[in-house]
Amino acid sequence: MYDLVLKNVRLPKIEEQYYIGIENEFIAEISRTPIKGKEEIDGCGDLVMPPFVETHIHLDTVYTAGEPRWNQSGSLFEGISIWNERKQMLTEDDVYNRAIKALCQLLKHGVLYVRAIVDISDERLTALKALLKVKEDFSTILNLQIIAFPQNGLISFPENKKRMIEAIKLGVDGISAVPHLERTREEGIESIKFCFSLAEKYNTFIHIFCDEIDDSQSRFVETVASYAITSGLKEKVTACHTCAMVYYPDSYASKLLDLISISKINIVSCPLINTVMQGRYDSYPKGRGVTRIKEMIQKHINVCIAHDDIMTPFYPLGSGNILQAAHMAVHAGHLTGSDELEEIINMISINGARTLQIADSYGIKKGNEANLITFSVQNTIDLIRYQPHCRYVISKGKVMAHTPPSKTIFYRTIQN
Ligand SMILES: [Zn+2]
């Protein structure tokens, strides 16, 4: 008799239905034949998967769109300017409450592994302290990593160097840089160098905002990849956005993609914000803002797709449903091949687990933590088509959320 049995669920690409037995927070059995539990949940023939992985979300800026004013131009620079104003009003309670609201939305949509970005360009480190408390308070429900991010730069805003070290001592999991926003290319490289020196010294992840600008001369990914090789940090390093890559000549991009592949760094693309924010300075045709995902798949680079923002000065929409980001990536990246559609789901699941370095304990298998999500769809492509809510979200063997599928009632007979 197991603590909990999830019955009548289908694993991806398998027709038969399974019973999953959970004991002491772990998956104890996966069986085609019925098993009994003290509590039993009918999966109704749903698809069951491991939870999604959000590899890049700003939990300090969530739900601040319009405060103190709306980003009318939609540009990154107006967003930064508004956030600099909003940042002055932060309190730990304000950040804590908004972060929890966002985490509940992510959880409802099946995300149980989260890498959160927090701006440290605030001398009081208010947001960081609030998110470290969120991490502690939510540790029994979801896996939260925190990255210290110097929104205003490291070299052009030197106070951030000191705050970065303070953030490490307070307990962040990783550190960041934003080289394309430093004053010069040389200072951008210096910021990357500083970030790597700290990561080596304190053994942290690196998660660098890289080339989030429509400038074919913004080429910091090559520096990040090169340092990842020489430092040996490799898979512990992530470059996110990399939007400028679509403006590079193909000859340079080809060399760069080989370098990224050799370096083993992870790439995180944020298709929701970058389709709407990039290309603002283009005439027609306008750039799509999403990095070269298609070519990265071909080079076996570990690419992830992230939601990034929920109602922030940078992006006014977002619901916490990471499938919306996957849907956008398919369109902006021309990723409609059948293998590509399957790979898109990997980019919000197993690839994310690799980036967070939790892949060894990720997935539905005996002995792993019982973290499971179910969907009332036929296959993974339907996840991208419909972007449905999870019917069940189970974390460490406990049902955390239940959203019954919506049902439409037709009042007249519709004939073809
Ligand atoms: Zn971001």
Side-chain angles (χ1 to χ4, degrees), residues 56 58 209 241 308-309:
H56 179 117
H58 298 256
F209 284 58
H241 299 296
D308 198 349
D309 287 80

Side-chain angles (χ1 to χ4, degrees), residues 56-58 117 149 209 212 240-241 270 273 308-309:
H56 179 117
I57 186 164
H58 298 256
I117 314 300
F149 167 53
F209 284 58
E212 190 182 15
C240 52
H241 299 296
C270 305
I273 185 167
D308 198 349
D309 287 80

